[in-house]
Amino acid sequence: MPDKIATPEITRLTAEKRPAVRNAVLFVVSLCVLLLAIQTSDSWRARKERLAEVAVATANMSHALAAQGESAVRVVDTVLAGVVERVETDGVDGGAARARLQLHLRNMVSQVEELHGLFVFGADGRWLMTSQDRTPLYNNADRDYFQYHRKNADRGVHVGKPVRSRSTGDWILPISRRLDRSDGTFAGVALGTIRIEYFSKLYESFDVGSAGVIMLTIDDGTMIYRLPHTESLIGADVSNGPVHQMFMRQGPKGSAMLRSKIDGIERLYSYRHLDTYPLIVATAQSKQEILEKWLQSMLTQAAITFVAILLLLGFGWRLVRQIIIRDHLQHELVQAREQLQEHNRALTVLADHDSLTGIANRRRFEEAMGLENARAARSGAPLSVVMIDVDYFKRYNDTYGHVAGDACLRQVALALEGSLVRPADLAARYGGEEFVALLPDTDPAGARMVAERIRSAVMALQIPHAGNGAGIVTISAGVYTSNAASTTEEGVALAATALVERADALLYQAKQSGRNQVCGGDFTAP
């Protein structure tokens, strides 16, 4: 009888335990599935972040290469413009004029790194003059660039397809301009050439990985140079290639994952069209190389996750639940702290920086102005302010549009910030197209020197501006220096306001005097 009673009791207790065991198993299994899902999600997110990071890097690289290419062609174009002016004014037949021009050509080639050679051809294609130490022997009437200028009255620069130099045998990129007689008829061609090897030296200094690519092409799809270098590709037609097709669809810049028709490798490409000349620069990194580190990291994390799952399955459901709850809480706390810190950083940036240009805003400037003016009052050190205004900026917006205007302001802000070399100096956007520089412990001469440096830096940007007499974007500046050593606390506040007002008055004087200049003077607080 006791045995018959005990058996049902044991069965009942076992039945009560089964739901708890089942729930524990379901909990652990669910947790394992969750860990796998998190691992997959994190891995995929890391993959996208890695691709986005490299896309930004390749886009920046293509922008830098485009700027260098623009500079190289512009240098040659500038030299050519001077040669055209000399030939059309003085001719090449006179002894003295010819000797001066010959010396000029040689000097230019020796001084300008980008130049391979300078040449002047007559209307029949004969060599009239060259920078090389040899007698002109060839006729270049058959060259594409010569045919182009003979058929077109356009006086602008022409970027031709790469050819082999008849004088040296080097691969060259021809940059040419048309020569006209006084009656406007065709008189010949002035030619400047850039060695293709110049681009090789330039591009090899950039790291795009072992399977990466840098390309320079003409708008019509003619290859000028490709890294890794293969001479057979110089002059090849790649107009049906993925990069050129993307350029035809998307415009002057873009990025995409594409497969090369040359070697079949899939790469992340970024290209950029030069602002002035019909050239396209593209950079690319191999997708395999980009994701190699991510794959290693993902496999490591997957192995760790797998081991963690095995451990979880080996423990009882109570201990597993406690560990998961603790880890979950810790994870949430870390995330919350990071989010709070990120939020605080974002608020600080929004409060103190101009959203368009990225430099300090007016609020930050006024705060710093108050602190520096009070410090100057205690120490007797001079305090200078430079007020800056972009010349004819409304005309710039009306001509080029507000998007271009915003881009112009960002470039001016970078030039301003880059011209301030001391940590204590502050560059800020004061409002609209007005900027301000705060220069603690700076006397009038030093402040004016900084203002001139800023003005030169903006001019060096060479931003085209048809509405400005200079043809490029320029600035006007007003400089004032205060010595508030003897002022009272109330007087210090007045001096800070007056300093800005007087700098602004001098800025107005600079604009009234013709713009693109600096007006400066001293101001001693009352």
Side-chain angles (χ1 to χ4, degrees):
M1 288 294 294
D3 291 340
K4 292 182 180 180
I5 296 175
T7 300
E9 181 66 15
I10 293 173
T11 302
R12 184 181 65 80
L13 293 175
T14 303
E16 291 177 353
K17 291 181 180 179
R18 283 175 182 172
V21 173
R22 184 169 56 251
N23 290 339
V25 171
L26 288 175
F27 177 78
V28 172
V29 170
S30 299
L31 186 57
C32 291
V33 172
L34 178 61
L35 288 176
L36 286 174
I38 292 174
Q39 172 63 35
T40 302
S41 175
D42 285 348
S43 297
W44 185 252
R45 176 180 52 80
R47 182 181 185 275
K48 292 197 297 183
E49 289 178 351
R50 175 61 179 162
L51 290 173
E53 176 186 339
V54 176
V56 171
T58 55
N60 290 339
M61 187 182 299
S62 66
H63 179 72
L65 289 171
Q68 289 181 331
E70 183 96 17
S71 176
V73 178
R74 182 179 287 113
V75 168
V76 177
D77 183 22
T78 302
V79 173
L80 273 184
V83 172
V84 169
E85 193 276 333
R86 284 176 178 243
V87 172
E88 292 183 346
T89 302
D90 301 335
V92 295
D93 297 330
R98 183 182 182 87
R100 287 196 301 272
L101 181 57
Q102 179 73 45
L103 179 61
H104 177 69
L105 297 183
R106 291 180 179 176
N107 287 340
M108 287 297 98
V109 173
S110 65
Q111 295 171 10
V112 179
E113 178 186 3
E114 292 85 351
L115 274 173
H116 160 263
L118 288 170
F119 308 85
V120 179
F121 305 105
D124 58 357
R126 290 184 304 105
W127 288 29
L128 300 180
M129 190 168 296
T130 174
S131 60
Q132 299 173 353
D133 295 327
R134 62 180 67 195
T135 302
L137 300 174
Y138 305 103
N139 188 298
N140 279 33
D142 61 329
R143 292 294 200 189
D144 289 344
Y145 58 81
F146 191 91
Q147 295 292 330
Y148 173 84
H149 288 299
R150 183 156 59 186
K151 296 176 182 178
N152 295 274
D154 179 18
R155 299 304 305 275
V157 65
H158 175 69
V159 179
K161 297 182 179 181
V163 295
R164 278 197 180 274
S165 171
R166 284 175 170 155
S167 58
T168 65
D170 298 325
W171 277 103
I172 56 172
L173 180 66
I175 312 297
S176 56
R177 281 182 174 268
R178 174 185 168 111
L179 296 172
D180 280 349
R181 299 185 179 94
S182 58
D183 60 358
T185 58
F186 179 65
V189 173
L191 173 69
T193 58
I194 302 176
R195 280 191 183 90
I196 300 300
E197 184 183 355
Y198 169 81
F199 298 105
S200 176
K201 294 179 180 178
L202 176 63
Y203 295 163
E204 285 176 357
S205 63
F206 287 83
D207 182 14
V208 291
S210 60
V213 164
I214 299 178
M215 294 192 305
L216 177 65
T217 64
I218 305 176
D219 282 2
D220 64 1
T222 301
M223 180 75 74
I224 297 175
Y225 181 83
R226 182 180 187 270
L227 180 74
H229 179 52
T230 302
E231 189 171 293
S232 61
L233 289 177
I234 299 178
D237 183 5
V238 293
S239 58
N240 291 326
V243 175
H244 194 268
Q245 291 299 311
M246 182 168 59
F247 162 68
M248 298 297 292
R249 293 191 305 269
Q250 297 186 10
K253 61 181 179 179
S255 296
M257 188 71 71
L258 305 170
R259 187 174 297 278
S260 171
K261 288 191 175 182
I262 296 175
D263 53 22
I265 297 176
E266 189 174 12
R267 298 182 176 92
L268 179 59
Y269 285 87
S270 290
Y271 74 88
R272 194 173 189 95
H273 188 274
L274 271 62
D275 293 336
T276 308
Y277 303 102
L279 298 174
I280 304 168
V281 173
T283 63
Q285 292 191 40
S286 163
K287 180 180 180 181
Q288 180 179 353
E289 291 184 349
I290 293 172
L291 297 178
E292 185 175 357
K293 291 183 178 179
W294 166 81
L295 182 60
Q296 294 175 355
S297 175
M298 187 270 293
L299 291 175
T300 301
Q301 292 178 7
I304 294 173
T305 302
F306 180 72
V307 172
I309 290 174
L310 291 178
L311 292 175
L312 286 171
L313 292 174
F315 286 100
W317 70 273
R318 292 183 183 274
L319 181 60
V320 170
R321 182 178 61 182
Q322 292 175 358
I323 293 175
I324 294 301
I325 291 175
R326 184 190 64 185
D327 290 346
H328 184 66
L329 290 175
Q330 289 179 345
H331 181 66
E332 288 187 344
L333 287 173
V334 170
Q335 280 192 326
R337 184 170 63 251
E338 290 177 351
Q339 291 175 357
L340 180 59
Q341 292 174 348
E342 183 64 27
H343 184 64
N344 289 337
R345 286 193 294 268
L347 288 177
T348 300
V349 171
L350 288 174
D352 293 338
H353 290 76
D354 178 56
S355 59
L356 174 64
T357 62
I359 63 175
N361 57 18
R362 181 169 179 173
R363 175 186 175 279
R364 175 73 182 91
F365 164 75
E366 290 176 345
E367 177 182 347
M369 181 69 187
L371 293 174
E372 293 297 341
N373 201 50
R375 185 179 294 113
R378 294 192 300 271
S379 65
L383 177 63
S384 296
V385 169
V386 182
M387 295 294 295
I388 299 164
D389 185 82
V390 180
D391 296 331
Y392 299 115
F393 187 71
K394 183 179 184 304
R395 294 183 186 176
Y396 187 96
N397 271 341
D398 292 342
T399 303
Y400 302 101
H402 290 283
V403 174
D406 289 347
C408 173
L409 292 178
R410 283 192 289 269
Q411 293 184 71
V412 171
L414 287 175
L416 166 59
E417 193 171 39
S419 300
L420 305 183
V421 297
R422 301 182 309 174
D425 297 339
L426 178 68
R429 185 184 179 194
Y430 199 72
E433 67 272 24
E434 286 191 325
F435 297 86
V436 62
L438 180 62
L439 308 175
D441 198 17
T442 304
D443 60 18
R448 187 179 182 93
M449 183 183 302
V450 172
E452 290 289 355
R453 186 162 64 232
I454 296 169
R455 187 181 67 85
S456 299
V458 172
M459 291 187 67
L461 296 174
Q462 292 292 304
I463 304 172
H465 187 353
N468 193 357
I472 58 174
V473 170
T474 60
I475 62 167
S476 300
V479 183
Y480 243 94
T481 302
S482 171
N483 187 335
S486 61
T487 60
T488 64
E489 184 171 350
E490 180 181 1
V492 169
L494 291 174
T497 303
L499 181 57
V500 174
E501 291 175 350
R502 284 158 175 76
D504 191 57
L506 279 174
L507 168 60
Y508 180 78
Q509 180 180 333
K511 293 168 66 175
Q512 291 296 107
S513 301
R515 292 181 168 82
N516 191 19
Q517 58 182 275
V518 175
C519 285
D522 297 341
F523 168 62
T524 302

